[in-house]
Amino acid sequence: MLPITTCFVAGLQYLIHPLKLGTIQETINPDALIPITLLSTEEIFGDLEGILQLFDSIDDVFVPDFGSILVEKSGDNSSQVHIDTRQIYHMDQIKALDGFSELPSGPYFLYGPNLYQAWRLYDDEFGAFTSGVIPDDLNQPDDRAWKSLYENPSSSTAKYAQSLIDQGAVIIGKTKTSHLGTGAEWVDQQAPWSARGDGYERMKGGSVGAAAASVGYPWIDYSIGIDDGRVMSEGGVYSMRQPGNLSTDIATASKFDKTRIFSRSLKGLLDFAENAKAGASGASSPRIIVPEDMSSPQKSQKTAIATFVSILQDLLDTKAEYINVGKTWEDSPPSEASNEGMQIYMEKAPFRSWCYDYYHSFDTFRDEHKKKFDNKPFVEATPQFFWNECKSVTEEENRQDTERLDVYRKWFLENIVNNSTPNAKGDAVVILPCGNAQVEHRNDPVAHRLYNTDTGIGGFPVIISIHSGSLRV
């Protein structure tokens, strides 16, 4: 393994990955450090200029200096050693990366005769990461109380992260999360910066670092976070919530927590929506359902949703259905509701159900901190506010609230999603407002509200996973 080595190419800083991938046949200076482009024989003697221009346009690691010297994946040193003015070397020993049958074409480094990956280094100007690919401190969580109690970093990779690596993903770092998933004060570290607006807009949410990274860095394809759907934090990027339960090796704060994938490209998220594509009906367009009594009171958000619905109608060649969910409930309530109106029946269930989970998910943390240090852990004002509100929710109340959520989910699917208009077929797209269109800034006081101002049942937004996942735009 090569020691950690960095260098500059065309004024940009690079890391030479320490894992040796192969050796060239030629003898060169063992101390030479050379940026090269690895190509197949067909690529070198085909449209070479076109390939190098393609790398320059889509690969942020590549700069033209890498194209001055080429390395052929196969061949011998008796074959052609120059093309135009470019030197050509030839691979001898080669080791494919995990998940690849051969080394991908692209920019690499020769350090002496040995081949290494080229990793471009970036400054984290928006403060989205706790650590990069070369962390100063592997044990660098987002708050001091947690670190003081749990001193040793994990010795294994989370199953979900490993599944991404197995598919060819390159993990470049760990992003910041808010204190205990809900913190807004950012006492122990600096909050990530937003690349939107004047640069001082407040970003909210649990996985705020993942959102900030996708918003601010065009060289990041995807970022991964955990999100319970309570707040909107994306700031102008797309995200998709994954279905299914999280693996047990991922710490969660409630049963609502799901994996959320952020991307600057809506098309890119389709790579993570295979179940939806497999289950979609190719013979008909999905229904577009707009719950008119759950619309946003904010004019700017109403306008944005109306524009989105118009585009979606043209794209899918179908008309949106505007449905009054409350009126439908009034006409056909579930038997379990005992004739209660929808807002009354669901007034407390969404928040209290989350609340019970959130408070008790930290029981062990509070107990172990008290046992080790004989005091309470420091907790920011926002999570402490939730703890104070949530600790009074009883197990029986939580059971009843969970039951009401199940009743509502079943009723919504049967009466709104699957209650097709005549001759309607296919899947359904339900469009709901998420988040608050009002811009908040970093220096604005944090308002602690039991029920936020988002549109939702009982003042608490509800996202119902109908098919493979929910999508935010």
Side-chain angles (χ1 to χ4, degrees), residues 106-279:
Y108 292 81
F109 281 107
L110 283 179
Y111 198 161
N114 300 322
L115 185 75
Y116 299 91
Q117 287 186 75
W119 284 38
R120 183 173 167 183
L121 300 180
Y122 288 90
D123 289 329
D124 183 18
E125 61 179 303
F126 296 112
F129 290 85
T130 58
S131 64
V133 68
I134 312 176
D136 295 325
D137 180 6
L138 281 172
N139 183 22
Q140 195 173 4
D142 293 330
D143 64 81
R144 297 171 64 198
W146 192 275
K147 180 178 179 179
S148 65
L149 183 60
Y150 305 115
E151 298 177 354
N152 298 320
S154 174
S155 59
S156 61
T157 300
K159 292 179 181 178
Y160 184 76
Q162 187 61 54
S163 71
L164 296 176
I165 294 172
D166 293 342
Q167 296 175 63
V170 177
I171 306 296
I172 63 172
K174 297 171 67 176
T175 54
K176 293 177 181 176
T177 57
S178 60
H179 180 69
L180 303 184
T182 62
E185 289 75 19
W186 294 91
V187 175
D188 287 342
Q189 64 173 336
Q190 189 177 61
W193 295 87
S194 172
R196 302 297 188 219
D198 61 1
Y200 282 82
E201 293 182 8
R202 173 180 287 149
M203 300 190 72
K204 299 183 294 183
S207 297
V208 62
S214 283
V215 169
Y217 302 135
W219 42 270
I220 289 180
D221 296 313
Y222 305 100
S223 58
I224 311 295
I226 303 297
D227 183 11
D228 61 14
R230 293 179 306 107
V231 291
M232 182 74 168
S233 63
E234 288 89 309
V237 294
Y238 301 99
S239 74
M240 185 172 69
R241 198 179 191 206
Q242 293 288 82
N245 296 324
L246 294 172
S247 59
T248 56
D249 59 354
I250 298 178
T252 60
S254 81
K255 58 177 170 287
F256 297 99
D257 284 357
K258 303 291 182 183
T259 303
R260 183 167 289 281
I261 302 170
F262 302 89
S263 175
R264 300 170 68 90
S265 166
L266 180 58
K267 184 178 180 181
L269 289 177
L270 294 178
D271 294 337
F272 298 90
E274 294 180 1
N275 291 340
K277 290 187 291 184

Side-chain angles (χ1 to χ4, degrees), residues 398-415:
N398 179 59
R399 185 194 65 77
Q400 294 175 3
D401 292 335
T402 301
E403 184 178 283
R404 291 193 175 208
L405 288 176
D406 290 340
V407 168
Y408 184 81
R409 182 180 292 108
K410 180 181 178 182
W411 176 87
F412 193 91
L413 289 171
E414 291 177 351
N415 292 270

Side-chain angles (χ1 to χ4, degrees), residues 424-442:
K425 297 179 180 179
D427 297 328
V429 177
V430 181
I431 299 176
L432 293 169
C434 289
N436 192 335
Q438 185 69 34
V439 174
E440 296 181 21
H441 287 84
R442 294 168 71 97

